Amino acid sequence: MTTTIKEPSFLDAVLPILVLITLLSSSVVLFGNDSSYGPNQIALFIAAAVAVVIGIKNGYRWADIEQAMIKGISLSLGAVLILLAVGALIGTWLLAGTVPTLIYYGMQLLSPSWFYAASCILCGIVAMSIGSSWTTAATIGVALIGVAAGLGLSPAITAGAIISGAYFGDKISPLSETTNLAPAVAGAELFAHIRHMLWTTVPSILLALLLFTIIGLNSSSTADAVHIDLISSTLHEHFAISFWTLVPLFVLLAMAIKKVPAFPTVFIGALLGGVWALLFQRDLMQTLMEQDLGTAIGSFKLVWSTLFDGFAVETGSDDLNSLLSGGGMSDMLNTVWLIFSAMMFGAVIEKIGLLRKFVQSILKAAHSTGSLITSTIATCIATNILTADQYMAIVMPGRMYKEEYERRGLAPVNLSRTLEDGGTITSPLIPWNTCGAYMHGVLNVNPLDYFIYAFFNLINPVLAVIYAYCGIKILKLTPPDSVQQELHLKP
């Protein structure tokens, strides 16, 4: 017997989202910064259960919904593998002295007054070169968080600067997956898409840099020269600091530039960190490893345990211990739990048609070009919140709005740029999104704390909406040669 599937009502579409928002808000109020360590996951499970009940009411079979959940979770497995590899990398790079060396030189070279702006620029350059905000955050970003701690600067503002720079570079890099995905979904040419994005992206990063500069010039470092010298001497005391300990970083960046896939790149970097620890940190390892084992066996066991359980060092200072310890695959398991929970919820609401119902309602009210682009950005942000995946926030709105853009005579680059302005760069601002969870796991700063300081990620969507209503660089469908000629004009 075939069951008739009913179209969800607007109340059906709203109810799971209201439940989710209520529970997530309660989670933050009741548990504060610990909300991502279990409470948010339970909120997502309960909201998913509400959505499942609505789906069954509307005629969906449990077996089909369950299959959609499994498929949704499977979409995040690539990100999970990268997360686990990043955990291993952080651990072995601490043991190898790679991160301590970056912290040591960063404290010598970066002035507190210019630190936030410099961090943003540095991450932007690296991300643009390798096309990956994730790899940038896991390498340069981790070191910059350490430098900030050493200089007595705000980790939340530093994380905002890292994410602003990393997503700026990722967004305009032709090596980036999202930069290739958005034009593919919208039907635009890659470099035409990048050129069109510059109109919203460049002013946004310039405004962000101005804000980071103002904050830096008006903030004072709590670390004096004596404190910085103490940290530097402690680093020298426990680690062999030299140019050679930075080799794993250069190897990883070279592989990323060569477009070696992210998971093998990061995991090879982690293994190389283990080898470098054996070669350059013999004194440290002799101190850390168990005395009842031979030197070779003990060293091998220490590297192995660092890969799965991270690295810890005793310096006599709790602050330095926290700064120089961490990593390991096990350290990422809570983030994996959060991602799985969020992807499950997103898969359910997509399967039973709740997102589609929202878009249909939105299109009825989007009469002007400005309101259409604003609606697209809002849908991208909502998809980031509800499906918890950056790629879904590009693909789903892209498919939903592509016909409407064509019907209104708008060039595909308008849609592809809007997908990036609304989808790509808002993903790290949401704690349970794969990107937000990843940044939390890597930088150890809650997205709720760095949200207000991720200036680029906040300014860009707002600027895109202003452009849309003012008609700035909104291209109409014209013969291909004319479109390309206009796109070659520099902003």
Side-chain angles (χ1 to χ4, degrees):
M1 180 178 175
T2 304
T3 305
T4 303
I5 295 176
K6 294 192 302 183
E7 182 75 13
S9 66
F10 188 73
L11 178 61
D12 288 341
V14 168
L15 186 58
I17 295 166
L18 290 177
V19 170
L20 179 62
I21 292 171
T22 302
L23 291 175
L24 289 173
S25 301
S26 301
S27 170
V28 173
V29 171
L30 294 173
F31 298 96
N33 286 336
D34 292 330
S35 60
S36 294
Y37 293 91
N40 285 350
Q41 287 88 328
I42 298 302
L44 288 159
F45 263 77
I46 294 173
V50 172
V52 167
V53 171
I54 291 171
I56 292 174
K57 172 184 76 73
N58 289 341
Y60 288 90
R61 297 186 308 153
W62 163 250
D64 294 332
I65 296 175
E66 183 182 41
Q67 192 59 39
M69 293 162 118
I70 294 170
K71 182 180 178 182
I73 290 172
S74 71
L75 294 175
S76 69
L77 292 180
V80 167
L81 290 174
I82 295 171
L83 264 172
L84 294 174
V86 165
L89 178 139
I90 292 172
T92 60
W93 280 23
L94 284 166
L95 180 62
T98 303
V99 172
T101 299
L102 285 168
I103 293 172
Y104 176 83
Y105 287 124
M107 290 176 62
Q108 311 302 316
L109 298 174
L110 292 172
S111 164
S113 297
W114 302 99
F115 177 76
Y116 300 129
S119 297
C120 183
I121 292 170
L122 180 60
C123 289
I125 292 171
V126 173
M128 187 163 45
S129 301
I130 65 177
S132 173
S133 56
W134 282 30
T135 304
T136 302
T139 52
I140 305 300
V142 170
L144 288 170
I145 288 291
V147 174
L151 295 174
L153 297 172
S154 166
I157 301 176
T158 304
I162 291 166
I163 288 166
S164 291
Y167 274 83
F168 163 74
D170 185 309
K171 189 170 183 268
I172 64 171
S173 172
L175 304 178
S176 168
E177 291 176 341
T178 55
T179 308
N180 283 272
L181 180 61
V185 171
E189 191 270 328
L190 172 61
F191 288 100
H193 163 66
I194 292 173
R195 287 190 293 270
H196 197 52
M197 277 201 302
L198 294 179
W199 290 92
T200 55
T201 304
V202 172
S204 298
I205 195 64
L206 291 176
L207 287 171
L209 286 172
L210 177 62
L211 290 172
F212 286 126
T213 301
I214 292 171
I215 291 175
L217 293 175
N218 287 277
S219 63
S220 58
S221 170
T222 59
D224 54 23
V226 174
H227 180 69
I228 293 173
D229 287 342
L230 175 62
I231 293 176
S232 299
S233 62
T234 303
L235 290 172
H236 257 303
E237 180 184 345
H238 289 84
F239 300 92
I241 304 293
S242 74
F243 169 82
W244 294 107
T245 58
L246 297 178
V247 169
L249 170 65
F250 297 136
V251 171
L252 183 142
L253 294 178
M255 286 192 293
I257 290 172
K258 291 291 185 182
K259 297 198 74 174
V260 178
F263 172 61
T265 294
V266 176
F267 193 60
I268 289 169
L271 294 177
L272 187 59
V275 173
W276 245 239
L278 293 170
L279 292 176
F280 295 100
Q281 303 296 340
R282 294 178 183 175
D283 292 342
L284 172 64
M285 296 184 71
Q286 184 66 42
T287 303
L288 293 173
M289 66 187 180
E290 297 179 18
Q291 299 301 315
D292 59 333
L293 295 173
T295 301
I297 296 175
S299 298
F300 179 69
K301 180 181 178 182
L302 179 59
V303 170
W304 194 335
S305 66
T306 300
L307 286 164
F308 70 80
D309 206 27
F311 170 76
V313 64
E314 179 53 55
T315 64
S317 165
D318 290 339
D319 290 339
L320 286 177
N321 292 344
S322 176
L323 175 62
L324 301 172
S325 303
M329 290 189 179
S330 61
D331 195 45
M332 295 296 177
L333 293 181
N334 182 74
T335 302
V336 171
W337 177 23
L338 180 61
I339 289 172
F340 279 179
S341 303
M343 293 299 290
M344 177 191 66
F345 173 74
V348 174
I349 64 168
E350 182 192 4
K351 175 65 178 178
I352 65 177
L354 303 190
L355 277 177
R356 187 173 61 253
K357 184 67 178 180
F358 266 118
V359 172
Q360 289 171 353
S361 303
I362 289 169
L363 282 175
K364 291 177 182 177
H367 301 298
S368 66
T369 297
S371 61
L372 176 63
I373 290 176
T374 302
S375 299
T376 308
I377 290 175
T379 304
C380 290
I381 295 171
T383 307
N384 259 327
I385 293 171
L386 298 175
T387 67
D389 184 71
Q390 180 187 53
Y391 300 118
M392 296 288 283
I394 293 173
V395 173
M396 287 180 61
R399 289 174 177 170
M400 292 172 177
Y401 286 100
K402 184 178 179 183
E403 260 186 51
E404 189 66 19
Y405 275 70
E406 290 174 353
R407 191 180 70 80
R408 299 193 187 192
L410 297 171
V413 288
N414 296 299
L415 176 57
S416 63
R417 181 178 75 183
T418 304
L419 294 175
E420 293 248 58
D421 289 344
T424 299
I425 61 175
T426 60
S427 55
L429 306 180
I430 300 157
W432 56 90
N433 187 282
T434 51
C435 296
Y438 176 89
M439 294 299 167
H440 187 182
V442 169
L443 302 177
N444 201 28
V445 180
N446 195 304
L448 296 176
D449 293 330
Y450 67 63
F451 179 94
I452 196 172
Y453 301 112
F455 297 130
F456 171 73
N457 305 67
L458 295 172
I459 292 170
N460 200 162
V462 174
L463 200 61
V465 170
I466 293 172
Y467 276 35
Y469 278 104
C470 294
I472 301 172
K473 296 308 294 179
I474 305 299
L475 300 185
K476 298 291 185 180
L477 281 172
T478 55
D481 290 342
S482 300
V483 173
Q484 294 304 319
Q485 184 177 6
E486 183 172 1
L487 286 170
H488 275 84
L489 295 175
K490 295 182 179 179

